[in-house]
Amino acid sequence: MKKFLAMLLALVMVLSLAACGGGETKTPETEDPGTQTEEPAAASVKVGFICLHDENSTYDLNFINGAKAACESLGITDYVIKTNVPEGQECYDTAAELADDGCNIIFADSFGHEDYMIQAAKEFPDVQFCHSTGTKAHTEGLSNYHNAFASIYEGRYLAGIAAGLKLSEMIENGEITEDEAKIGYVGAYTYAEVVSGYTSFFLGARSVCPSATMEVTFTGSWYDETAEKEGAQKLINNGCKLISQHADSMGAPTACELAGVPNVSYNGSTEAACPNTYIVSSRIDWAPYYEYAISAVINGEEIAADWTGTLATGSVVLTDLNENVIAEGTADAIAEATAKLQDGSLHVFDTATFTVSGAAMDSYMADVDTDPAYTPDTEVISDGYFHESEYRSAPYFDLRIDGITLLDEAY
C-alpha cells in the first residue's frame, strides 16, 4: 500500500509540473548534485525582427535567413519578421508595435533605423533592442540598447584575393595588359562602412595583382536595381574588367552576366543567375549574433553593448567558389590568407600596403564616438595597421587611399 501511494504521489507531481509548463531541469557540474535549477524555456521568449526591405534585397534576405536559422537552432517558434520598414518614424512605430505585442527582444537591420530603435529602447526599458550596423550603443549607455557588426572587411579582403587572381589570370592569358587590370565597384553611400568595404576588397585584389586599380561609383541608395545596373554598365564602359559591389540588388551581377564581365557579389551567391561571370561572394552570417543575444534574454544575462563577429565566430563567411570561373589556385590562396588573418600575422589595413596622397600613414584620428559633426576622436593606427572594428563594431575606416578613383560622391 505504501508503495502504491508513493507511485501515486510521484504521478501527481509529474502532472502538476506539466500543467505549469515546466519540469525540465538540469544539474550544473559545479552545483551540488542534489540541487536542481530550472532550465530557461525558449518558449517563453518572443522575438521581433525589423528589415529595411524584403527577400528581394540580398542584404535583407541575408538577415532573414540568419533570423530563421537562429530561431530554429534555439527552438524559438514565436517570432515575427517585419519587412519593408523605412529608415524613419515607421521604424519606431514598428518597434513599439512589436514591444506591445509581447516581444522580449527586437532586432533591426539597417543603419538608418538606429535613432528610432534608441527612441523605442527608452520607452520600453524592459525590452532588449539590438541594432545591426549602428554606432551609438557604446556612447548612449542604455542597458537595453545594443549594436552589432562583424569584421566583414576580412571577408571582402578574401573575396578581393579571388578577384585579383582572376585579373592576373586574364593578364597571363593575354586577355588584358597589366595596365588594364581595373576593377569597378558599385557602392551605395560614402559611409565608412562602404569605404571600408571597397578598400579592403581592393587591398585583397592588389595583394595578388599589384597593378590593379579601382573606380567606384555610388547610387545614393542601398537598394535600387536600375541605378546599380546602370552603375555597373558605366564602369564596364570605362574599361573595368571585373565588377564588385556594396549594394543590395541583382543589378550589378546582371549587368556583368550580360556583358561577360567577371563579378564578385555580396551577401549571397548569384551563381544560379550568373553562372558565367560569378566568382564568389562574402557576407555576414547574422545567426551567431542572433543566437547569442536571444540566448542572453532566455538566460537573463547581459548583452554586450557593442558586439563584433569574426571569422572565428562564424560571422564572416564566403560562399562557394564558382569553379567554372575562378582562377587556378584561388581556394588555396584564400585558405592561406584566412589562416593568417586568424593567427594575426596578416592585417587587412596594414599601413605598409597603401598610401594616402602619396604618403604612408602612421597616425589617424577616426570618428569612433559618433557625433553630428563626425568629429575625429580616437587614434586607430598602431602596431603598423589601422585597427578597424576594434574600438566599436561598426566600421570607421574612411581613408581615401591611392589607386582608387571615386567617380561621384552620393551620400
Side-chain angles (χ1 to χ4, degrees), residues 80-129:
V80 181
I81 300 176
K82 296 286 189 177
T83 57
N84 297 308
V85 180
E87 295 174 315
Q89 193 62 33
E90 297 92 338
C91 177
Y92 164 77
D93 294 339
T94 302
E97 176 188 334
L98 290 169
D100 284 335
D101 285 346
C103 287
N104 309 96
I105 182 169
I106 299 168
F107 299 89
D109 76 353
S110 194
F111 183 79
H113 286 148
E114 179 155 46
D115 288 342
Y116 307 97
M117 289 289 282
I118 291 173
Q119 180 185 354
K122 292 177 178 178
E123 183 167 336
F124 298 91
D126 295 329
V127 177
Q128 298 297 318
F129 292 85

Side-chain angles (χ1 to χ4, degrees), residues 25-328:
T25 60
K26 65 177 181 179
T27 305
E29 295 179 2
T30 55
E31 293 186 4
D32 186 311
T35 302
Q36 292 185 329
T37 58
E38 185 176 354
E39 184 172 320
S44 67
V45 173
K46 183 174 183 178
V47 186
F49 299 94
I50 298 173
C51 298
L52 179 61
H53 299 111
D54 55 26
E55 293 88 347
N56 291 312
S57 159
T58 56
Y59 176 83
D60 293 275
L61 177 61
N62 187 48
F63 276 93
I64 292 167
N65 288 340
K68 292 178 178 179
C71 288
E72 180 179 357
S73 176
L74 294 172
I76 300 288
T77 57
D78 196 2
Y79 65 91
V80 181
I81 300 176
K82 296 286 189 177
T83 57
N84 297 308
V85 180
E87 295 174 315
Q89 193 62 33
E90 297 92 338
C91 177
Y92 164 77
D93 294 339
T94 302
E97 176 188 334
L98 290 169
D100 284 335
D101 285 346
C103 287
N104 309 96
I105 182 169
I106 299 168
F107 299 89
D109 76 353
S110 194
F111 183 79
H113 286 148
E114 179 155 46
D115 288 342
Y116 307 97
M117 289 289 282
I118 291 173
Q119 180 185 354
K122 292 177 178 178
E123 183 167 336
F124 298 91
D126 295 329
V127 177
Q128 298 297 318
F129 292 85
C130 300
H131 176 242
S132 300
T133 77
T135 63
K136 299 179 179 179
H138 72 289
T139 52
E140 283 290 324
L142 297 172
S143 62
N144 67 326
Y145 179 70
H146 321 277
N147 286 145
F149 209 85
S151 57
I152 188 58
Y153 62 95
E154 294 181 317
R156 288 192 182 277
Y157 182 90
L158 296 172
I161 290 175
L165 288 173
K166 184 63 179 179
L167 289 173
S168 293
E169 179 186 70
M170 295 166 73
I171 293 169
E172 292 172 7
N173 291 342
E175 299 172 40
I176 62 174
T177 65
E178 289 187 1
D179 292 342
E180 292 173 330
K182 184 166 64 172
I183 299 167
Y185 199 97
V186 180
Y189 295 94
T190 50
Y191 295 161
E193 178 185 342
V194 180
V195 177
S196 175
Y198 71 63
T199 306
S200 54
F201 179 79
F202 174 69
L203 290 173
R206 187 173 261 191
S207 72
V208 293
C209 184
S211 67
T213 59
M214 176 184 280
E215 288 186 353
V216 183
T217 187
F218 299 94
T219 64
S221 171
W222 291 118
Y223 182 83
D224 186 328
E225 186 160 4
T226 298
E228 291 164 36
K229 187 174 182 179
E230 290 175 350
Q233 189 59 57
K234 176 174 68 175
L235 293 165
I236 293 169
N237 292 343
N238 282 358
C240 293
K241 306 303 181 183
L242 183 146
I243 304 292
S244 190
Q245 72 269 348
H246 189 153
D248 301 338
S249 82
M250 284 293 296
T254 299
C256 289
E257 185 72 4
L258 292 173
V261 173
N263 173 255
V264 173
S265 59
Y266 183 48
N267 277 324
S269 173
T270 59
E271 184 174 0
C274 308
N276 301 307
T277 54
Y278 166 77
I279 293 175
V280 71
S281 172
S282 61
R283 70 180 182 90
I284 296 175
D285 186 343
W286 286 101
Y289 177 66
Y290 287 158
E291 289 187 35
Y292 155 76
I294 296 170
S295 294
V297 170
I298 293 173
N299 296 321
E301 299 169 348
E302 291 185 5
I303 301 172
D306 214 351
W307 185 92
T308 304
T310 63
L311 288 163
T313 65
S315 304
V316 178
V317 296
L318 296 183
T319 60
D320 290 339
L321 295 163
N322 183 356
E323 297 292 341
N324 294 323
V325 178
I326 61 171
E328 185 178 351

